[in-house]
Amino acid sequence: MKKELEERGKEALKGIAGAQTPEELYEVHVKYLGRKGIVTLMMQGISKLPQNDRAEAGKLFNKSKKSLEEAYAEREEMLKAESVKRALNERWVDVTLSGRQYEVGHIHPISQVQQEVEKIFSEMGFSVMDGPEVESEYYNFDGLNILQNHPARDMQDTFFIDQEPTKKDGHLVLRTQTSPVQLRTMEKYGAPARVIVPGRVFRNEATDASHEHTFDQVEGLLIDKDISLAHLKGVMQEFLTRLFKRETKVRFRPGYFPFVEPGVELDMSCMICNEQGCRVCKQTGWLEFMGAGMVHPNVLKAGGVDSQKYQGWAFGFGLTRLVMMRYGIDDIRLLSSGDVRFLKQF
Ligand code: DAH
C-alpha cells in the first residue's frame, strides 16, 4: 500500500510537471485527485486495512495528497501566467506609437457655395425659404400656370410617385424646379415678400457630363409695390459682383417661362475673359446664368396675392451649374459621386 501510494504519487507529480496547458493539467487532476481519481480510490482502501496500520497509512496518504495539491496549484499558477504572457506577445502593443489621425470631413462644394449665396442675399434683405422635395402636381405645375399638356409634365421629364392622384393636388411628383416654393411663400406670408429658395430638384433625364437626375437650384422671389425688372437687374448685378468678388455685369434677353410675363434670360459677363471672348463663353463675352421674369398674374392669384396692388419678379438659377462654373468642373456627375478624391479638392 505504502509503495503503491509512493509510486502513484510520483506518477502524478510527473504528470503535473509535464502538463503544458491548463487543459492537460486538468486531466491530470481528474485522473489522480478528482472524485474518482486514483488517490481518492486508494483512500477508500484505507478502511480495509488492519486497525493498526490505518493511522499510519492515513497520515501518509494525507501527506501525499497535500504535496500533490500543492504541486498542482503551483503548476496551475505558472501555466496561467504563461498563457497571459503568450497572449500579450501575440497582441503586442507599441505604446510609444503616436495616435491614428482621424480624417475630418468638410462641407460639400455645393453647400459651400449655397452658404455664400444665402449670406449675400440675406445681407440684401432676403429670407431663406424651404419647401418639400416631394411636391404635388398642383404646386409644381398647375399653380405655376404650366398647363396640363405642357411637355415638361411628360413622364420622360418628371418622376411621378406611384400613388393615386387626388382631385385637388393631382399626382405627387419629385419637384422638377424650386419654383413651387414661390406659391408656398405667397400662401404663407402674403405680400410683400423677399425670399430665396435653395433646394434640390429632380428630372427624369439620361445623365451625361452636363445632365444629372438630381441637382440644385436657387429660386428668388420679390413681391412689393412698384417693382420692375430694373430692380432685378440691380440685385443680380450686386449679387454676382459680391459672389465672384469682381465687377460683374448682367444683361437680359427675351425668354419664355409659363409662370412669368414678360420672361427673360439673364446673362452675366464672362469672368474668365472679361467680355473679350474665350472658349468658356464661346467667344461671346457672356454666360447664360438664369431664367427670370415678372411673376405672372395667374401665379400671384394662385398665391392669394392681389395683382392690382402688388407685382414682383422671380428667378431661378442652377446652383450646381454655378459651382461648376466657379471651380471649372466639367462633369456634373462628379458632384454627387461621393468620391472623396474629388471632394478633397474643395
Ligand atoms: N424654374 C425654371 C427652371 O427650372 C427656372 C426659372 C425660370 C425660375 C424663370 C423662375 C423664373 O422663377 O422666373 O428651368
Side-chain angles (χ1 to χ4, degrees), residues 89-339:
N89 272 339
E90 274 166 19
R91 281 180 277 142
W92 186 75
V93 176
D94 182 353
V95 292
T96 66
L97 266 183
S98 49
R100 205 169 285 168
Q101 185 146 14
Y102 284 97
E103 271 193 53
V104 181
H106 69 283
I107 312 272
H108 191 280
I110 290 183
S111 306
Q112 284 181 38
V113 177
Q114 181 180 328
Q115 285 172 2
E116 278 180 58
V117 169
E118 287 178 7
K119 182 165 180 287
I120 296 170
F121 275 104
S122 300
E123 285 164 0
M124 292 198 276
F126 286 75
S127 306
V128 179
M129 272 290 282
D130 216 356
E133 291 176 353
V134 177
E135 186 55 283
S136 71
E137 251 184 310
Y138 169 75
Y139 281 105
N140 199 76
F141 296 122
D142 302 80
L144 290 171
N145 203 34
I146 303 173
L147 301 179
Q148 204 72 42
N149 59 359
H150 193 283
R153 301 177 72 137
D154 207 299
M155 293 290 281
Q156 263 133 43
D157 294 323
T158 305
F159 288 116
F160 285 84
I161 304 287
D162 192 6
Q163 193 175 296
E164 281 301 306
T166 67
K167 207 164 184 173
K168 182 170 158 282
D169 292 327
H171 287 90
L172 283 180
V173 299
L174 295 190
R175 68 175 177 195
T176 59
Q177 47 187 357
T178 42
S179 306
V181 191
Q182 289 185 30
L183 291 168
R184 293 185 174 276
T185 302
M186 288 187 252
E187 283 178 357
K188 196 161 177 191
Y189 298 111
R194 202 187 289 190
V195 299
I196 58 158
V197 187
R200 199 168 270 184
V201 301
F202 311 87
R203 302 225 178 134
N204 190 3
E205 302 199 65
T207 57
D208 60 31
S210 46
H211 295 89
E212 254 291 26
H213 49 70
T214 301
F215 54 100
D216 285 76
Q217 286 187 334
V218 177
E219 193 79 13
L221 176 71
L222 185 143
I223 294 175
D224 213 324
K225 290 177 178 158
D226 303 320
I227 295 300
S228 78
L229 286 178
H231 298 114
L232 175 63
K233 201 167 187 181
V235 165
M236 290 317 291
Q237 180 150 328
E238 183 60 22
F239 162 67
L240 290 166
T241 296
R242 288 197 203 177
L243 184 74
F244 288 102
K245 299 190 176 68
R246 69 203 321 268
E247 197 61 40
T248 308
K249 289 190 222 152
V250 297
R251 73 174 187 190
F252 288 144
R253 282 179 294 114
Y256 173 74
F257 302 95
F259 31 91
V260 282
E261 182 59 41
V264 297
E265 299 267 0
L266 182 140
D267 297 340
M268 59 182 273
S269 52
C270 179
M271 72 281 186
I272 300 201
C273 64
N274 262 333
E275 284 171 80
Q276 295 307 299
C278 68
R279 210 169 47 91
V280 175
C281 61
K282 299 193 189 96
Q283 311 303 331
T284 63
W286 294 90
L287 294 166
E288 277 182 30
F289 185 65
M290 67 178 199
M294 296 302 292
V295 180
H296 197 290
N298 287 351
V299 177
L300 290 172
K301 197 167 148 211
V305 169
D306 182 351
S307 61
Q308 297 301 315
K309 251 165 105 184
Y310 290 100
Q311 65 285 135
W313 40 253
F315 65 78
F317 65 82
L319 181 62
T320 308
R321 242 199 82 224
L322 179 60
V323 173
M324 292 171 74
M325 247 159 71
R326 175 127 201 227
Y327 296 116
I329 299 165
D330 57 7
D331 192 329
I332 188 172
R333 292 166 294 193
L334 287 166
L335 283 161
S336 51
S337 66
D339 189 332

